[in-house]
Amino acid sequence: MGDDEDAFLAKRLEGMLTNAGVAWLTVSILSYLGFPLADLLPLPLDMAVSFGSWLWALWSSMMAVSLLIRRGRDVLATLCAILVVLVGARVFTAEWGTTYAAHQVRLHQNELAELAAEHRAGRLPEEFELPRQLRYLTIDGKAQRQDEALYLPVWQNWRAEDGAGIAYFSTPPRPDEMVGTAAGDGGLPVRHLGDGWWWVE
């Protein structure tokens, strides 16, 4: 391999590694924002964006591995391929819904604490509009009082048959305590997010 070709491949490899890094970062961000994006985008567009980001990440990663092999860096190429598999598996299997919810609960800790206090005092109607800074958390900017739970619907599928969200319980809920998450569907509290707030699905 001549010096000019080696320099060309080295420059191309550097660009492809940067491209792959940006692609995987984009996949992670889109996965984290999966529920709010599902509310904002039509289903075909949401699926296309998700599929396109994964295709970009995998293609750029495989191109980087191919360039490493062309430069005779077989060991480094193998390590890079293993890293791609590990990163892809981690991103694919991560519980992005609960991660997103936990971050939002921490971000709005004070506002949610005030809302919980109003719920415990019995001053909230069955359905009401959330304060402006919390409206983006739910599919319609509203919250629902369901018996002992105060429920914020974060996501529903396009037919409103399945849903998930954040619920506040003044006392720890039973493992089998159902919360209405969509028309004809109920969810269970599966992860405590802090301060009495739970992820329900």
Side-chain angles (χ1 to χ4, degrees):
M1 183 183 296
D3 292 341
D4 290 343
E5 184 180 0
D6 188 56
F8 170 76
L9 289 177
K11 186 174 182 179
R12 190 177 177 192
L13 175 61
E14 181 182 353
M16 196 56 65
L17 287 172
T18 301
N19 193 19
V22 173
W24 283 113
L25 178 62
T26 301
V27 170
S28 299
I29 292 172
L30 290 175
S31 299
Y32 173 80
L33 296 174
F35 283 143
L37 286 177
D39 293 334
L40 291 173
L41 301 178
L43 180 61
L45 181 57
D46 183 41
M47 293 177 66
V49 168
S50 178
F51 178 77
S53 66
W54 274 94
L55 190 62
W56 175 28
L58 293 171
W59 174 82
S60 57
S61 298
M62 291 302 100
M63 285 296 295
V65 170
S66 176
L67 288 170
L68 283 170
I69 293 173
R70 286 185 63 185
R71 296 195 69 205
R73 306 290 181 84
D74 293 350
V75 174
L76 193 55
T78 302
L79 292 175
C80 186
I82 293 172
L83 180 62
V84 169
V85 172
L86 292 176
V87 170
R90 181 72 181 95
V91 172
F92 185 76
T93 59
E95 296 182 354
W96 290 108
T98 54
T99 300
Y100 171 79
H103 287 170
Q104 296 306 312
V105 167
R106 287 197 295 270
L107 181 64
H108 295 288
Q109 186 174 16
N110 294 335
E111 296 94 333
L112 290 172
E114 293 175 6
L115 201 62
E118 291 290 303
H119 174 66
R120 290 193 303 271
R123 291 193 287 264
L124 297 176
E126 285 192 3
E127 184 175 78
F128 61 95
E129 193 169 79
L130 288 164
R132 185 176 302 276
Q133 63 270 32
L134 297 178
R135 288 176 195 166
Y136 78 94
L137 291 176
T138 69
I139 57 176
D140 56 4
K142 297 179 181 179
Q144 307 160 10
R145 180 174 54 81
Q146 301 183 22
D147 297 325
E148 299 300 317
L150 174 61
Y151 181 64
L152 281 63
V154 174
W155 171 81
Q156 282 186 357
N157 71 356
W158 66 282
R159 292 182 296 184
E161 293 176 343
D162 189 18
I166 304 169
Y168 173 79
F169 297 88
S170 54
T171 58
R174 301 184 313 276
D176 61 347
E177 188 156 351
M178 295 289 293
V179 176
T181 56
D185 183 54
L188 300 172
V190 295
R191 178 179 169 185
H192 186 221
L193 305 175
D195 301 327
W197 292 93
W198 288 74
W199 178 248
V200 175
E201 62 182 14

